[in-house]
Amino acid sequence: MIALARGPATFALTADPEAVIDGLCALLPARRDQPPDEHLLLLDTPDGRLVAAGALLLRGAGEGPVEVRLRQDGAPDLSVLAPAPPAFARGLPPGELRTRLLDLAEMRRLLPVLELQHCTRGLDVLDEERKTVARVRLQLTSVRPYGADGSWETLPASLTLEPLRGYDEAAAAVLAVLHSRPGLQAEEENANARLRTVAARTLPPPPPVPGADVRHGLRADEALRRILRAHLATMRWNEPGLRADLDSEFLHDWRVAVRRTRCMLGQIKRVFPAAERDRFRTELGWLARATGPVRDLDVFLLLLEDVAEGSDSIGDLAPIIADLRQRHREEHALLVAALDSPKARDLLSAWDEFLSRKPGRHPGARDALLPLGELAAARLRKLHRRIVRDGESLGPTAPAAALHELRIAAKKMRYVLDAARRLFETEPADAVLAALKKLQSVLGEAHDAHVQAGLLDEVARRLAGEGANASVLLAAGRLAERLSSREAGARAAFAERLSAFSAPATRKSVERLWKPRKGGR
Amino acid sequence: MSVLAVTHIKGGVGKTTTAVNLALLAAREGPALLWDLDPQGAASYTLRVRPRTPVGAARLLVDEDALQESIKATDHPGLDLLPADFSLRKLDALLARRDGLGGGLQRALRPLRRQYRHVLLDCPPGISFLAENVFDAADALVLPTPPVPLSLRTLARLCRHVAHRRGKRPHLLPFLSLLDRRKAVHAAVAEWAATHTDLVLPTAMPYAALVEEMAVRRAPLGAFAAGSQPAQAVEDLWAEIQRRLERPPIDGLLLADALDELLARPQGAEPRPPAERPAPPAAAPAAGREVEFKLALGGEADVAALLAALPAGSPPPGPAREQLNHFFDTPGGALRRARLALRLREEAGRFRLTAKGPAAATADEALADRPEEEVSLDATWAFDLLGERRSALEVLVARLGPRHPPLVDELLRAAGDRPLRRVASFRNERRQLGPLELPGADGPVSLTLELDRSEFPGGRVDHEVEAEVVPAQAEAARAALASLFSRAGLPWQTAPSKAERLFARLR
């Protein structure tokens, strides 16, 4: 008997699909299934997370209540009826699909990538009880990029045998029949995989990974230019989504790119001429600061949405969320205005031009011709010592500002490590990164809780002044307790994380990061 | 993940109806399993599932693999069923044991909790060791209760028992079932329940003919009557259950006291279709021999030339009929080595199983004369053959009966006790040409030709023309055909059998 692997079996069609179905219908005890043709949209996050995870998210193309389907190889298909097309996973009704999609997409916007015309013809193979024991589905799909008016691309028709649990023998018999059809060719790639391939080539290519084109032998100024060009590309990639406020991650990724840029300019100092280095560092700082309020509000709103959804009732958070959203809109408008300003335009244009310059024989900076790895490793040693020294001087009641300074130092260390990672020895780099991440995590937690407490205090006072009712103020109070508890928890974990970071093993790893190569110093 | 047990001490209160209907709704939220614990197997029957193999209640409790193997998908997306088996009648005795089987239900449920968002248990009536296991394992007891004194009385008893038991106390979720407000007693209880929504779920399941139709249609309400009032009641009930599980549990003692107080007051089908497997048709009388000319054509151009050479007034070729031809043999090719063939042909929803013997030596090498036996099959037999559930030879013998022709004995000898499997298939397009009146030496010869276009694995395409003749006519037919080929300017070339060409492609 032909062995049936767990999971569906797929066949490509080399004969007329209707003739194949008619032939199977004449042979198999079956009930035809001919659902109406569908007009669907395939959704994904802007960075293609779903396709990358082997998943497909489909919805009806209409604007009212729509069926949303999630398909992922190796997992059962899920579907749910949503009251409106979902912009985020969070907007779906509670259930398995929402839970799984939240894991995959997190807070990212769900955007249409492809438009599909989808036709399914099928047979439900029955036993003597007229119980379905296997399903045979023929899929005919045409696709085109969402928003394009061009012609449709017809994907090869495929026929799938879907076994049902507990009916392996029936499925094996149907599989043997399918193998006997000259018009069917067994294949590995199923219809889902084909659709993911089309989606993957339709999604915009991601920005380059900073440092991916940095290799040993490059002089530091050229290596650094390559890294910074990648960060600039990341900023440009995220700017449209940031402007449209599609989701919080566009701004986050844009800000990270700016921070990493400024960090490298500040930490690897003598690679570019000082005047230009300082100018760009300063002006990019201005641009980054213009985005700070929106980012803080993004993070807080995400937290509040989580809290509001939680099963334990914290009270009426809706007015607080509404107030913060209004403030977000106002700050976002200011952010866009800053990006549109002549100052910002000129800055980015000048920066682009600076990064595009070819390395000259007289670079105008003392360390420009040295290996970047050597410079970065030296900087990392200094940063490590500083963090350990400053961290050990902080007690459990250290002011939030002091922890914030330490957090900034840890970020700088992280950015330098990330930028030059390809030039370092792998094992020590991994060890340093692991210890640094753990330290950053508690510092970030403490900082966020502190900032959010400040925002909450502002909002609560304003709402109280406007006559908000007791349940709102009670909710604010409970939330403030939670934030305080989070901050305290993070501070309590700080000592232990710092201890691991300052341990001899980590210090040795920092020392061993850089190993000169032939041709380098 | 939740485990909801639909249970009651009394029988006939609507447990299975409730369990099946709620399971369908649960499956909408994520994978759900309905475990039919009642040896009557009503839930299994409603969902059209037979136990795959009766593994036995004892094995289900201790053998996770057996448990997993016993689960079956239903016709409803996301809903699986662990079907009932008559051995469940022993389940109570097994659970009463002090060895590993005792307390086995909770243990058996553990891996299922990881796989499913909801597990529902359709419990048999009674209060027993199984019931105690259910109380330990379930997060909630869903208690359909008809609004009549005997049911209310046993509900009160159950609530007291759960409230007083030492082990886990699951949520109690009683609701009125089989409610018929035209009856005075029902109406009075419903009125009482409306004022005790803290103790009894406000949603009542009505007595309805549609609900009884579930057993006729063998499907949950939501599958065939989604917009009906009973189906809406089930939706409301499910929503209410989810809400209640988030709140503090109903106080069983309070409920029992309230019920006692109430009782103390004086008191007023898709009709089943016929079986899918029809009686097999009577075997068609076997022809015994196939005598035919088989001549190769080079391609479409040769076909056109042949048609152009036909006498004026000849009918045009008939419409193309698609045939799928499947050949069966032992893994080692025993039939082929013995120059035998066994073929299943599909054409326009009809199926014929044909056995062919070796061609006899003839004076004319273009004339193939071979023994042949053919039977027609219905789709069920054909599926069994192509689905590898039966041997083609077994079917041939079954259809021809014990007094089968010598050719079948030859096949049996060649195959021995080795199974026959489908080894190759090809597609043929056949057009009938005729009956034709072809000029012959002694007057017109009436012949019907078959124009074949065969596609073999690997993409090779052959054309040929066949003419089946009676032996007495063979000489005249040959002359007429030779004359036709000559007029068409075509070489006279014998074609090997399609089976030979097919197996040559596979070598």
Side-chain angles (χ1 to χ4, degrees):
Chain A
M1 188 178 280
I2 291 175
L4 181 73
R6 290 268 165 197
T10 308
F11 293 80
L13 274 78
T14 56
D16 174 56
E18 295 290 347
V20 166
I21 288 291
D22 286 345
L24 288 172
C25 219
L27 177 59
L28 301 172
R31 178 175 49 221
R32 280 213 195 225
D33 180 32
Q34 196 150 322
D37 293 355
E38 296 175 296
H39 184 199
L40 301 172
L41 298 180
L42 184 145
L43 309 177
D44 208 324
T45 62
D47 50 355
R49 292 181 185 197
L50 301 186
V51 160
L56 287 173
L57 185 68
L58 298 162
R59 72 160 175 91
E63 288 311 310
V66 288
E67 190 192 358
V68 178
R69 291 176 211 158
L70 182 64
R71 294 191 208 156
Q72 199 169 10
D73 289 344
D77 288 355
L78 298 171
S79 74
V80 74
L81 187 64
F88 297 93
R90 196 183 285 276
L92 290 168
E96 185 77 15
L97 192 152
R98 182 179 187 272
T99 305
R100 231 202 284 164
L101 190 59
L102 269 171
D103 276 344
L104 294 169
E106 295 183 300
M107 74 294 282
R108 298 242 58 175
R109 187 86 172 215
L110 301 171
L111 297 168
V113 177
L114 293 176
E115 202 181 338
L116 286 75
Q117 289 175 336
H118 188 67
C119 165
T120 304
R121 298 287 177 264
L123 300 176
D124 292 340
V125 183
L126 307 173
D127 68 5
E128 298 82 11
E129 305 282 339
R130 289 186 72 80
K131 164 80 179 65
T132 304
V133 295
R135 293 196 173 96
V136 175
R137 290 289 176 270
L138 174 71
Q139 294 190 66
L140 304 162
T141 308
S142 300
V143 301
R144 69 181 176 191
Y146 179 74
D149 286 331
S151 55
W152 295 84
E153 174 189 347
T154 301
L155 300 183
S158 77
L159 185 135
T160 306
L161 166 64
E162 297 165 13
L164 293 191
R165 182 167 189 171
Y167 295 98
D168 289 354
E169 285 176 22
V174 175
L175 183 65
V177 168
L178 295 179
H179 276 291
S180 76
R181 310 286 98 188
L184 295 180
Q185 192 73 38
E187 59 173 14
E188 291 297 322
E189 190 185 53
N190 59 27
N192 286 351
R194 264 200 287 280
L195 205 46
R196 282 199 302 273
T197 302
V198 176
R201 69 171 142 83
T202 310
L203 284 161
V209 173
D213 57 350
V214 169
R215 58 176 195 283
H216 289 283
L218 279 178
R219 46 196 268 187
D221 59 349
E222 175 54 25
L224 195 51
R225 274 198 167 84
R226 290 187 184 193
I227 290 167
L228 297 176
R229 273 202 296 271
H231 288 318
L232 181 59
T234 299
M235 288 165 63
R236 295 226 187 277
W237 195 93
N238 283 285
E239 193 176 319
L242 183 171
R243 284 172 173 276
D245 197 21
L246 290 179
D247 66 37
S248 57
E249 288 308 278
F250 287 104
L251 176 59
H252 173 62
D253 290 348
W254 187 95
R255 278 167 54 88
V256 169
V258 171
R259 273 208 301 271
R260 287 180 186 261
T261 298
R262 294 189 67 242
C263 171
M264 294 309 286
L265 290 173
Q267 295 299 307
I268 314 293
K269 280 194 161 61
R270 290 182 289 255
V271 169
F272 295 139
E276 283 171 303
R277 175 199 71 211
D278 291 342
R279 176 213 165 181
F280 287 122
R281 187 160 184 275
T282 303
E283 294 192 16
L284 286 169
W286 161 77
L287 198 54
R289 279 191 298 280
T291 64
V294 176
R295 177 60 188 167
D296 287 338
L297 286 163
D298 275 341
V299 174
F300 196 21
L301 280 166
L302 284 171
L303 169 69
L304 288 180
E305 279 164 11
D306 269 338
V307 169
E309 258 188 37
S311 58
D312 54 339
S313 170
I314 199 170
D316 190 3
L317 286 174
I320 298 173
I321 292 175
D323 184 280
L324 288 168
R325 283 207 178 120
Q326 174 57 30
R327 189 151 154 211
H328 185 281
R329 282 189 284 275
E330 291 160 6
E331 292 290 348
H332 185 265
L334 291 172
L335 185 166
V336 171
L339 286 173
D340 283 337
S341 65
K343 183 176 176 183
R345 289 186 202 279
D346 291 344
L347 162 62
L348 292 174
S349 173
W351 182 230
D352 193 358
E353 188 276 330
F354 175 78
L355 292 178
S356 306
R357 280 188 214 159
K358 293 278 180 269
R361 291 181 70 184
H362 303 290
R366 200 187 81 173
D367 295 340
L369 300 178
L370 294 178
L372 180 64
E374 179 184 327
L375 297 172
R379 194 66 206 150
L380 286 170
R381 287 194 291 273
K382 280 193 180 161
L383 282 166
H384 181 259
R385 284 196 295 272
R386 178 185 150 191
I387 292 170
V388 168
R389 183 193 66 224
D390 292 352
E392 285 173 350
S393 73
L394 296 178
T397 56
L403 277 173
H404 181 54
E405 284 303 311
L406 201 66
R407 174 174 166 258
I408 290 173
K411 271 204 188 186
K412 286 177 180 171
M413 186 172 174
R414 173 73 180 272
Y415 292 162
V416 173
L417 179 61
D418 285 346
R421 186 125 176 244
R422 282 172 185 265
L423 303 171
F424 291 146
E425 297 298 301
T426 308
E427 192 216 313
D430 288 348
V432 172
L433 182 63
L436 185 51
K437 272 188 181 176
K438 285 186 179 161
L439 182 65
Q440 279 187 285
S441 156
V442 290
L443 289 171
E445 182 91 353
H447 171 74
D448 284 349
H450 185 78
V451 166
Q452 286 157 10
L455 280 170
L456 179 65
D457 190 61
E458 257 181 69
V459 171
R461 286 178 195 280
R462 186 166 53 252
L463 290 176
E466 291 168 5
N469 68 34
S471 84
V472 174
L473 299 177
L474 274 170
R478 287 189 195 118
L479 192 54
E481 272 176 41
R482 279 204 191 181
L483 291 172
S484 172
S485 168
R486 257 180 72 198
E487 188 178 349
R491 280 173 175 259
F494 166 68
E496 181 240 323
R497 301 283 174 96
L498 181 67
S499 171
F501 184 74
S502 62
T506 309
R507 188 166 37 77
K508 276 193 190 132
S509 294
V510 175
E511 300 291 332
R512 285 170 45 220
L513 283 171
W514 168 247
K515 192 171 161 185
R517 304 284 170 107
K518 268 187 192 170
R521 237 178 62 172
Chain B
M1 197 292 238
S2 66
V3 176
L4 303 176
V6 184
T7 186
H8 203 287
I9 299 179
K10 278 182 76 44
V13 300
K15 291 189 291 301
T16 295
T17 302
T18 301
V20 167
N21 286 326
L22 290 181
L24 184 71
L25 296 180
R28 282 194 214 156
E29 295 176 11
L33 176 73
L34 175 61
W35 190 345
D36 188 354
L37 285 166
D38 190 340
Q40 293 180 77
S44 306
Y45 177 82
T46 304
L47 292 173
R48 299 179 181 270
V49 176
R50 288 177 300 180
R52 180 162 159 258
T53 48
V55 298
R59 271 190 73 197
L60 282 182
L61 294 180
V62 296
D63 183 342
E64 190 188 332
D65 289 341
L67 187 80
Q68 296 287 350
E69 288 284 314
S70 301
I71 294 174
K72 301 241 189 146
T74 66
D75 285 358
H76 311 284
L79 178 59
D80 287 349
L81 177 77
L82 194 50
D85 174 68
F86 204 52
S87 70
L88 286 176
R89 68 192 188 281
K90 301 179 199 163
L91 191 59
D92 215 54
L94 292 167
L95 291 170
R97 281 160 58 158
R98 290 178 183 278
D99 63 8
L101 286 170
L105 186 66
Q106 200 170 4
R107 203 167 41 240
L109 278 169
R110 260 184 233 128
L112 300 176
R113 281 183 177 267
R114 290 190 292 272
Q115 284 176 258
Y116 294 98
R117 195 179 174 98
H118 296 290
V119 174
L120 289 93
L121 310 176
D122 184 18
C123 304
I127 188 119
S128 56
F129 283 102
L130 171 59
E132 295 296 337
N133 265 254
V134 166
F135 299 156
D136 282 331
D139 300 312
L141 306 182
V142 179
L143 301 159
T145 305
V148 293
L150 291 179
S151 301
L152 296 169
R153 182 175 163 271
T154 50
L155 176 62
R157 177 174 275 187
L158 177 63
C159 291
R160 282 211 166 83
H161 175 74
V162 170
H164 286 132
R165 73 189 299 268
R166 277 211 191 125
K168 182 177 168 186
R169 283 179 222 147
H171 276 265
L172 297 171
L173 301 173
F175 68 95
L176 296 184
S177 61
L178 301 169
L179 174 63
D180 184 350
R181 291 180 194 272
R182 296 169 300 183
K183 298 180 181 174
V185 172
H186 286 220
V189 174
E191 197 182 308
W192 169 88
T195 59
H196 288 78
T197 55
D198 55 325
L199 298 174
V200 177
L201 302 192
T203 308
M205 282 299 300
Y207 175 84
L210 265 181
V211 174
E212 294 192 336
E213 241 185 90
M214 283 173 60
V216 174
R217 292 177 183 254
R218 299 178 73 181
L221 269 180
F224 66 90
S228 65
Q229 190 213 358
Q232 187 56 54
V234 176
E235 299 254 5
D236 294 343
L237 180 64
W238 178 247
E240 183 63 26
I241 288 171
Q242 300 306 301
R243 279 194 293 272
R244 285 296 178 117
L245 288 174
E246 300 283 320
R247 308 212 301 242
I250 291 171
D251 187 326
L253 289 175
L254 272 181
L255 171 57
D257 288 343
L259 287 167
D260 286 345
E261 196 184 302
L262 169 67
L263 289 167
R265 289 187 213 165
Q267 302 212 12
E270 228 162 301
R272 185 163 185 169
E276 267 301 307
R277 189 183 277 260
R289 288 207 91 72
E290 175 190 64
V291 181
E292 63 180 3
F293 287 96
K294 214 188 247 306
L295 299 161
L297 296 171
E300 297 285 355
D302 280 8
V303 173
L306 190 75
L307 294 175
L310 290 173
S314 295
R321 290 143 36 211
E322 178 171 293
Q323 299 170 334
L324 290 184
N325 299 293
H326 309 285
F327 287 83
F328 296 84
D329 207 333
T330 65
L335 298 193
R336 183 160 41 86
R337 284 199 305 278
R339 293 162 61 221
L340 301 165
L342 187 56
R343 179 195 71 199
L344 174 70
R345 171 172 285 172
E346 299 178 49
E347 182 178 337
R350 295 188 304 276
F351 306 92
R352 282 176 291 161
L353 185 62
T354 309
K356 295 200 183 201
T362 61
D364 185 352
E365 69 171 21
L367 185 67
D369 179 355
R370 47 167 50 91
E372 179 182 279
E373 298 297 337
E374 186 169 278
V375 295
S376 62
L377 303 178
D378 68 10
T380 309
W381 291 98
F383 180 27
D384 280 350
L385 287 190
L386 292 173
E388 299 185 355
R389 298 197 289 202
R390 282 181 190 253
S391 163
L393 208 43
E394 174 199 334
V395 170
L396 184 66
V397 168
R399 294 285 291 112
L400 290 173
R403 290 199 192 153
H404 42 255
L407 175 59
V408 177
D409 287 328
E410 269 190 77
L411 285 161
L412 287 167
R413 274 195 300 274
D417 52 8
R418 288 158 294 187
L420 294 191
R421 295 269 181 263
R422 185 188 70 85
V423 293
S425 305
F426 74 94
R427 185 175 162 271
N428 189 52
E429 207 175 83
R430 172 164 287 185
R431 290 183 292 167
Q432 183 173 302
L433 196 54
L436 303 171
E437 297 292 321
L438 295 179
D442 299 321
V445 176
S446 182
L447 278 177
T448 298
L449 306 184
E450 309 274 13
L451 291 171
D452 282 343
R453 179 185 179 280
S454 306
E455 289 176 23
F456 293 101
R460 173 175 158 168
V461 174
D462 284 352
H463 293 79
E464 69 189 45
V465 60
E466 292 182 0
E468 195 160 341
V469 298
V470 295
Q473 193 200 18
E475 201 177 316
R478 189 199 198 286
L481 281 170
S483 171
L484 174 62
F485 267 64
S486 174
R487 285 197 302 278
L490 297 173
W492 180 263
Q493 194 177 334
T494 310
S497 72
K498 291 189 183 67
E500 283 175 55
R501 278 178 275 156
L502 174 65
F503 290 120
R505 298 296 304 159
L506 298 176
R507 274 198 284 273

